[in-house]
Amino acid sequence: MNVVQIIEKKRDGHLLETEEIAWLVQQYTQGEVTDYQMAAWLMAVCWRGMDARETRDLTLAMVRTGDQLHLREIVSPVIDKHSTGGVGDKITIAVAPLVAACGVAVGKMTGRGLGYTGGTIDKLESIEGLRMTLTREEFLRIFSQHHLVLAGQSGDLAPADGKMYALRDVTGTVESVALIASSIMSKKIAIGASHLLLDVKYGSRVSVQTVEQAYPLARMMVDIGKLAGIHTVAAITSMVQPLGNAVGNALEVKEALAILKGEGPQDVTALCYHEAAELLVMTGHMPDMERAEALVMQAIHTGKAFEKLVEVIGAQGGNTRQLEQPELLPVAPVRIMLKAPQAGYIAGIHAEMIGIASMRLGAGRFKKDDVIDHRTGLVLQAKVGEYRHVNEPLVEIHARTEAEAEAICAEILTAYSWSASPVSPVPLIHEMVRP
Amino acid sequence: MNVVQIIEKKRDGHLLETEEIAWLVQQYTQGEVTDYQMAAWLMAVCWRGMDARETRDLTLAMVRTGDQLHLREIVSPVIDKHSTGGVGDKITIAVAPLVAACGVAVGKMTGRGLGYTGGTIDKLESIEGLRMTLTREEFLRIFSQHHLVLAGQSGDLAPADGKMYALRDVTGTVESVALIASSIMSKKIAIGASHLLLDVKYGSRVSVQTVEQAYPLARMMVDIGKLAGIHTVAAITSMVQPLGNAVGNALEVKEALAILKGEGPQDVTALCYHEAAELLVMTGHMPDMERAEALVMQAIHTGKAFEKLVEVIGAQGGNTRQLEQPELLPVAPVRIMLKAPQAGYIAGIHAEMIGIASMRLGAGRFKKDDVIDHRTGLVLQAKVGEYRHVNEPLVEIHARTEAEAEAICAEILTAYSWSASPVSPVPLIHEMVRP
């Protein structure tokens, strides 16, 4: 095999053989193929794309460079879940214990946030003592005992993906359906669940801009999942406004707890229950959506879903009193209420701008090694479609200082657009993409 | 400026600003932009291309990274010449002294051969004592005194091109019109002639395959020349069969000497005289092609053209007795005549296969640091369109050993195709591309 010939073959628009892709990834991981050769190849992939078979081959080649957990050999069915990320996305924190409480195991590794989309791990670390960095043995033991585990991403899974992602980040080769899909799926396949639910967000630069861009990514990942033997379904969901009301780490944990008690904001609560029911049907645990939704509501109303989260957080060393009394979670020293500057229907809340405002308050990272302030963030008091009178509460700002709170107000207001006539919000779920 | 943004801008098909291209090349030369970032950018250029203005900007940015000779400030007009390279291409060795003998100065830096196309420098080094590696001062002194100089390429001219070419070679990014054109033109602009004749070969993998591929490259270089203030004309010429009869270093020098004496093979002789006349008209030295061709014939028949080559070779330390008595040039110990295996009209002689056969005899390089044997090569005894009876001489093989000569026969014969009916060779000059 010759690396230049493989680069040229993709550059010229040909399909690569399984063996060529496997060789390339292996040689790159070993340092025999250089960063500059991989960078040229990655740009050729951005140009020419890869089909589902090639993308599966790339995914599996990356999986083979590292450890594999084979969760489905411990208990089956077992669910994994992944969201492409968005502002206010606390779905995993609610859905994972909800499904586990309904009797289907969930093993989830989750990433740190880059930029203004805090990761699930950052949010959960609001809880005192919680250990998200588990050894392989700890992960498997907690999963086996509780049929639920929520850990940080292990660097031992698909290390080639880590190396390639770092290179893509500095060579303008992030935005490729095949490369995004294989990066996500390599870590999912390494964990080895039997069923996977993907949440592909559209509507903001945090994810992809349009449904037209989201669909091929969703389709590609569902196809790779099928080729790799994981039953995969993707929900294409809207990120045209933040999800739920809370944006910021401890604030989002509180909202997830509310969802598990049946007291969460309508939009995000409905999405969580729907995704949980979908997973119960997907795995064959329940025969149809109606009965699955009934089981979900039962887990909420009996408190089983909430108790399941308390159980696993406790197993991972977290202070469960903070879950039972959410007021014990970290609180920002300054809270001020930003009022509606005008009357009207809220026509839009720009998710990205809200995310950046929250990041400036300390809830996100500008640079990789910035330390997150778990206390800060925003709580939206009204969502798209609602009417506000002038001076009615619009956004509660949770800040470290008065000055930081005051400084962010104008920026938050630019995220809002207003209408004199009624506005209908876009449905949260646009489409389900199935195998 | 931000390198990832510049890569993404080109990746997304946008034109880059002059300042962006200048910054990228400068930062890369200084090592601030990495090889992997440049590799990704180069692949994006292969994908999206660059227009004439961008390509001129890249060319001038590379020129500014090194030394410049400003030949036209010493004498004007002054001619430079470049061929994209081909099998049996000894044009420069004949045309440069021919034009100089007609009264127009020529300053030429020439490259080493890569692969089976030996470079002009390799061919001339068949001459004992000849110094092709000149200092800047020597180059300028010889040029000023003789209005002719034939030196090896200086690494001090456009060093960014050298660094980028080495990277392109190992990242599958050689084949881009904009990158090929800027690489060639950066060295030409650094030399600073007033007029430039380009010979863009088509018909073989040594250059580009088709006229359709040659034209955009020729057009791009003519346009860059114009934008950079050099009067540039490009000849699109055929490389569907080797040029002339001799292929190999000393063998080609001998053929160039024959051309300068009016005794060369018809095809290559006609091309040399035509190109020389074109240069005399281009520079305004002669008013039209008819009178220019008459002056060229006069320089040949009076021996002035031949004497001019002798003069400059002497000035560069070469043994001029080898020019006056070409039998003193290095001779291969073994010569055998390969006979026509069949009767018929020669329908094709595959230039690339002949080049590779010659390389196997020692006349070219498989690897960059291979040492060339100046003695070996092939002398074709008949060209496309000629009729051969069976067992008539076809190719004279000049080899180091009987075994090497015998071993190459079958390979040479596969380069030939035959026809029972008469065949017309393709005209050597397909088209002249002018500003």
Side-chain angles (χ1 to χ4, degrees):
Chain A
M1 301 255 182
N2 176 310
V3 59
V4 177
Q5 282 170 9
I6 292 175
I7 297 169
E8 289 176 346
K9 195 170 173 184
K10 182 44 72 186
R11 177 198 72 190
D12 295 342
H14 303 298
L15 292 175
L16 294 177
E17 304 292 333
T18 300
E19 297 70 29
E20 289 169 326
I21 293 171
W23 182 87
L24 182 70
V25 170
Q26 188 206 13
Q27 296 291 303
Y28 178 60
T29 309
Q30 294 172 6
E32 300 291 328
V33 163
T34 62
D35 278 339
Y36 52 80
Q37 290 169 323
M38 182 52 84
W41 183 79
L42 290 167
M43 185 59 82
V45 170
C46 289
W47 174 3
R48 298 296 192 174
M50 295 208 293
D51 74 5
R53 194 269 305 153
E54 286 178 294
T55 310
R56 177 207 58 181
D57 291 342
L58 174 60
T59 307
L60 294 181
M62 294 196 297
V63 169
R64 281 192 299 269
T65 62
D67 196 10
Q68 288 184 244
L69 292 178
H70 307 289
L71 284 197
R72 75 179 99 172
E73 293 175 13
I74 299 169
V75 50
S76 186
V78 49
I79 281 167
D80 197 356
K81 197 198 151 293
H82 183 83
S83 166
T84 58
V87 177
D89 187 356
K90 69 282 291 177
I91 303 282
T92 296
I93 305 172
V95 168
L98 180 49
V99 171
C102 291
V104 176
V106 179
K108 170 84 180 119
M109 281 197 180
T110 181
R112 283 203 186 274
L114 273 179
Y116 42 85
T117 66
T120 297
I121 181 169
D122 299 309
K123 295 169 190 176
L124 284 171
E125 282 179 350
S126 307
I127 302 165
E128 210 174 81
L130 182 68
R131 290 176 50 245
M132 294 293 286
T133 308
L134 303 179
T135 64
R136 178 194 167 94
E137 289 63 38
E138 287 172 321
F139 185 93
L140 293 176
R141 180 176 49 75
I142 292 169
F143 174 72
S144 302
Q145 285 178 2
H146 302 280
H147 289 196
L148 174 61
V149 58
L150 290 167
Q153 185 69 55
S154 160
D156 298 337
L157 301 187
D161 172 64
K163 192 175 174 187
M164 275 169 67
Y165 191 86
L167 184 63
R168 286 166 59 206
D169 198 37
V170 292
T171 56
T173 52
V174 169
E175 282 140 60
S176 149
V177 166
L179 297 177
I180 295 171
S182 58
S183 174
I184 292 171
M185 293 301 288
S186 66
K187 284 170 286 195
K188 301 291 124 188
I189 292 169
I191 292 170
S194 59
H195 294 73
L196 173 61
L197 180 65
L198 298 165
D199 195 343
V200 181
K201 304 281 185 204
Y202 76 90
S204 160
R205 271 215 298 146
V206 299
S207 47
V208 294
Q209 297 281 2
T210 65
V211 167
E212 290 65 38
Q213 291 170 308
Y215 183 81
L217 178 60
R219 179 86 262 162
M220 180 64 92
M221 291 195 286
V222 168
D223 289 349
I224 297 170
K226 190 177 180 186
L227 289 167
I230 297 180
H231 184 105
T232 305
V233 170
I236 297 180
T237 62
S238 160
M239 188 40 65
V240 295
Q241 64 173 332
L243 202 53
N245 295 344
V247 178
N249 299 283
L251 295 170
E252 292 192 43
V253 170
K254 276 183 206 164
E255 190 164 285
L257 296 173
I259 294 167
L260 286 172
K261 289 176 179 165
E263 298 159 2
Q266 188 273 331
D267 62 344
V268 65
T269 300
L271 182 63
C272 286
Y273 294 178
H274 184 86
E275 289 199 0
E278 180 76 38
L279 284 163
L280 296 175
V281 174
M282 231 173 110
T283 50
H285 190 70
M286 295 304 284
D288 55 48
M289 283 299 282
E290 199 181 333
R291 276 179 275 189
E293 277 164 9
L295 186 62
V296 164
M297 293 317 296
Q298 197 188 326
I300 295 290
H301 292 138
T302 58
K304 275 190 181 172
F306 181 79
E307 283 158 24
K308 194 74 198 174
L309 181 63
V310 172
E311 175 189 328
V312 80
I313 294 294
Q316 291 181 218
N319 178 357
T320 55
R321 281 185 55 224
Q322 288 182 308
L323 304 186
E324 281 145 6
Q325 296 168 264
E327 63 275 16
L328 298 178
L329 284 166
V331 177
V334 173
R335 299 189 202 189
I336 68 167
M337 186 61 77
L338 179 61
K339 307 282 178 59
Q342 65 179 97
Y345 293 95
I346 298 175
I349 307 175
H350 196 287
E352 191 177 349
M353 288 181 184
I354 293 295
I356 292 171
S358 168
M359 180 168 71
R360 282 196 219 286
L361 292 170
R365 292 183 182 86
F366 282 96
K367 297 191 307 292
K368 250 179 202 167
D369 44 4
D370 281 351
V371 174
I372 277 190
D373 189 324
H374 291 100
R375 304 169 300 173
T376 58
L378 304 170
V379 182
L380 311 184
Q381 307 294 308
K383 300 292 294 280
V384 170
E386 291 184 56
Y387 188 86
R388 292 280 101 168
H389 292 94
V390 69
N391 278 334
E392 274 195 299
L394 192 66
V395 179
E396 191 178 45
I397 303 172
H398 295 237
R400 291 174 289 211
T401 63
E402 294 270 354
E404 284 189 345
E406 299 290 346
I408 209 73
C409 292
E411 191 174 327
I412 294 171
L413 290 178
T414 60
Y416 281 75
S417 50
W418 299 85
S419 169
S421 49
V423 173
S424 296
V426 177
L428 260 180
I429 299 181
H430 173 79
E431 185 180 349
M432 300 299 291
V433 180
R434 301 178 192 279
Chain B
M1 301 253 182
N2 176 309
V3 60
V4 176
Q5 280 169 10
I6 292 175
I7 298 169
E8 289 176 345
K9 195 170 174 184
K10 181 46 70 185
R11 178 198 71 190
D12 295 342
H14 303 296
L15 292 175
L16 295 177
E17 304 293 333
T18 301
E19 297 70 30
E20 289 170 326
I21 293 171
W23 182 87
L24 182 70
V25 170
Q26 187 208 13
Q27 296 291 304
Y28 178 59
T29 310
Q30 293 173 6
E32 300 291 328
V33 163
T34 62
D35 277 339
Y36 52 80
Q37 290 169 325
M38 182 53 82
W41 184 79
L42 289 167
M43 186 60 83
V45 170
C46 289
W47 173 4
R48 299 295 191 174
M50 294 207 293
D51 74 5
R53 194 269 305 155
E54 286 179 294
T55 311
R56 177 207 59 182
D57 290 342
L58 174 60
T59 308
L60 294 181
M62 295 197 296
V63 169
R64 282 193 296 270
T65 61
D67 197 8
Q68 292 188 50
L69 292 177
H70 307 289
L71 284 197
R72 76 178 99 173
E73 293 175 13
I74 298 168
V75 51
S76 185
V78 49
I79 279 166
D80 196 356
K81 198 199 149 293
H82 183 84
S83 166
T84 58
V87 177
D89 186 354
K90 67 285 290 179
I91 302 282
T92 296
I93 305 173
V95 168
L98 180 48
V99 170
C102 292
V104 176
V106 179
K108 169 85 180 121
M109 281 196 181
T110 181
R112 286 204 183 273
L114 273 179
Y116 42 86
T117 66
T120 298
I121 181 168
D122 299 310
K123 295 168 190 177
L124 284 170
E125 281 179 349
S126 305
I127 301 165
E128 212 175 81
L130 181 67
R131 290 177 49 245
M132 294 294 284
T133 308
L134 303 180
T135 63
R136 179 194 167 94
E137 289 64 36
E138 287 172 321
F139 184 92
L140 293 175
R141 179 174 51 74
I142 293 169
F143 174 72
S144 301
Q145 285 177 3
H146 302 280
H147 287 195
L148 176 60
V149 60
L150 290 165
Q153 185 69 56
S154 161
D156 298 336
L157 302 186
D161 172 63
K163 191 175 174 188
M164 273 168 67
Y165 191 86
L167 184 63
R168 286 167 58 206
D169 199 37
V170 292
T171 55
T173 52
V174 169
E175 282 139 61
S176 148
V177 165
L179 297 177
I180 296 170
S182 58
S183 174
I184 292 171
M185 293 301 288
S186 66
K187 284 169 287 196
K188 300 291 123 188
I189 292 170
I191 291 169
S194 59
H195 294 74
L196 172 61
L197 181 65
L198 299 166
D199 195 344
V200 181
K201 305 282 186 204
Y202 76 91
S204 159
R205 270 214 299 146
V206 298
S207 45
V208 293
Q209 296 281 2
T210 64
V211 167
E212 290 66 38
Q213 291 170 305
Y215 183 81
L217 179 59
R219 181 83 262 164
M220 180 63 93
M221 291 195 286
V222 169
D223 289 348
I224 297 171
K226 190 176 179 186
L227 289 168
I230 298 179
H231 184 107
T232 305
V233 171
I236 297 181
T237 63
S238 160
M239 188 38 64
V240 295
Q241 65 173 333
L243 201 52
N245 296 343
V247 178
N249 300 282
L251 294 169
E252 292 191 45
V253 171
K254 277 183 205 166
E255 192 166 283
L257 295 173
I259 294 166
L260 287 172
K261 288 176 179 163
E263 298 160 0
Q266 189 273 330
D267 62 343
V268 65
T269 300
L271 182 61
C272 287
Y273 296 177
H274 183 87
E275 289 199 358
E278 180 76 37
L279 284 164
L280 296 175
V281 174
M282 229 174 112
T283 50
H285 191 70
M286 296 302 285
D288 55 48
M289 283 299 281
E290 199 181 329
R291 277 178 273 189
E293 276 164 11
L295 186 64
V296 163
M297 293 317 295
Q298 197 188 323
I300 296 291
H301 293 135
T302 57
K304 276 190 181 172
F306 181 78
E307 283 158 25
K308 194 73 198 175
L309 182 63
V310 172
E311 176 190 327
V312 80
I313 295 294
Q316 293 182 216
N319 178 357
T320 56
R321 282 183 54 224
Q322 289 182 309
L323 303 185
E324 280 143 7
Q325 295 169 265
E327 62 274 17
L328 297 178
L329 283 165
V331 177
V334 173
R335 298 190 205 191
I336 69 166
M337 186 61 78
L338 178 62
K339 307 284 177 57
Q342 67 178 97
Y345 293 94
I346 298 176
I349 308 175
H350 196 285
E352 189 177 351
M353 288 181 183
I354 294 294
I356 291 171
S358 170
M359 179 168 74
R360 281 196 219 286
L361 292 168
R365 292 183 183 87
F366 281 95
K367 297 191 306 292
K368 251 181 203 167
D369 44 3
D370 282 352
V371 174
I372 276 190
D373 190 324
H374 292 98
R375 305 168 301 172
T376 58
L378 304 169
V379 182
L380 311 184
Q381 307 294 307
K383 300 291 295 281
V384 170
E386 291 184 55
Y387 188 88
R388 291 281 99 169
H389 292 96
V390 71
N391 279 336
E392 272 194 301
L394 193 65
V395 180
E396 191 178 46
I397 303 171
H398 295 238
R400 291 175 289 211
T401 65
E402 294 268 356
E404 286 190 344
E406 299 289 350
I408 209 73
C409 292
E411 189 173 328
I412 294 172
L413 290 177
T414 59
Y416 282 76
S417 51
W418 299 84
S419 167
S421 48
V423 173
S424 297
V426 177
L428 260 179
I429 299 181
H430 173 80
E431 184 180 353
M432 300 299 291
V433 180
R434 299 178 194 280

